[in-house]
Amino acid sequence: MKTLKPSEIAFYCDVHQRTVSRWIAQGQLKGHKLPGRGNYRVLLSDFILFLQTQNMPMPTELLSNTNEDEEAVDTPSNKRILIIDDETEIRNAIRRVLAKGGYVIDTAADGFQAGVKILRDKPKLITLDLSMPGLDGFDVLTFIRAQPETADIKIVVISGLPDAELHKALELGANAVLPKPFENTQLISTINNLLK
C-alpha cells in the first residue's frame, strides 16, 4: 500500500507542512507514526478520503499511481478538468475556485504539456489561456477539435486578449469565453452548466 510523507501532502494541497501536521494532530487526516521515529506516513487511501471529505481537488498524479480496483479513486469522468495557463497565479486561482466544486484538477503550463495530458487523461473540460509561449491557445483549440477522440471536450477560454480574439476562439470551437480577470462565480457557473 502506497504511503505519503507530510511534505508530499503539503505539495499536493499547496499548503505548508505545518498545516498537514495540524490536520494529523486534530484527527482530520489519519496518520501513522513510524516505529522508533516521530515521523508520520499517510496511507494513499486515507489521503484520498481526506481530499474527498474536504472537497479538495484530486491531483491526477495520484490517480495514475493507484490501482484501478481501489474504489476511493473511482472518479467520474465528468469531474476531470485540465487548467492550461502559463501563469502560475492564474492556474492556482482557477484551481481554488474549481476545488469547491469537487472537480479532479490537473494543470499544464504550455500547449505541448497540455497536448500530452489531453490525449492521456481525456479530461471532460479544459480551461484555456490564449497567450502562451510555443503552442498558443488557438493552436491547442484547433488541435483538440481536429482529433476525433478529443473533439467533444468542453473548452472554456480564459484570456486577457481583446474581444475580437475571444470571438475568434468561439469560431474555432470554444464552448465559452471569459475575460481576465474573471469573476469566480461566473467561472464556476459556466463550468457547472457545461458539465451538467
Side-chain angles (χ1 to χ4, degrees), residues 123-140:
K124 195 70 175 179
L125 181 144
I126 66 168
T127 67
L128 179 63
D129 183 25
L130 294 175
S131 304
M132 294 185 292
L135 277 176
D136 66 17
F138 295 110
D139 295 327
V140 174

Side-chain angles (χ1 to χ4, degrees), residues 152-167:
D152 62 342
I153 293 174
K154 304 285 190 228
I155 301 172
V156 177
V157 166
I158 303 174
S159 175
L161 291 180
D163 286 349
E165 303 296 297
L166 296 181
H167 187 70

Side-chain angles (χ1 to χ4, degrees), residues 23-139:
W23 289 340
I24 294 171
Q26 293 170 350
Q28 291 176 280
L29 176 61
K30 193 172 176 184
H32 302 273
K33 218 171 214 180
L34 294 176
R37 302 165 70 185
N39 298 347
Y40 279 95
R41 292 292 181 271
V42 175
L43 291 174
L44 180 58
S45 55
D46 288 333
F47 178 49
I48 290 168
L49 185 63
F50 169 79
L51 291 176
Q52 292 172 337
T53 306
Q54 301 296 324
N55 277 332
M56 294 171 80
M58 184 80 63
T60 50
E61 308 94 283
L62 292 186
L63 291 174
S64 59
N65 286 337
T66 54
N67 297 327
E68 287 173 13
D69 59 357
E70 284 189 49
E71 284 183 41
V73 294
D74 184 19
T75 307
S77 60
N78 67 333
K79 290 288 189 180
R80 288 181 181 273
I81 295 179
L82 178 63
I83 300 167
I84 308 169
D85 200 299
D86 61 325
E87 294 180 65
T88 306
E89 296 80 10
I90 299 292
R91 288 198 306 273
N92 288 340
I94 297 170
R95 182 197 286 265
R96 278 192 295 273
V97 173
L98 299 185
K100 297 182 180 110
Y103 293 107
V104 178
I105 301 161
D106 195 9
T107 60
D110 59 55
F112 292 107
Q113 193 181 41
V116 171
K117 293 188 175 192
I118 289 164
L119 291 173
R120 184 190 68 198
D121 301 328
K122 306 286 191 305
K124 195 70 175 179
L125 181 144
I126 66 168
T127 67
L128 179 63
D129 183 25
L130 294 175
S131 304
M132 294 185 292
L135 277 176
D136 66 17
F138 295 110
D139 295 327

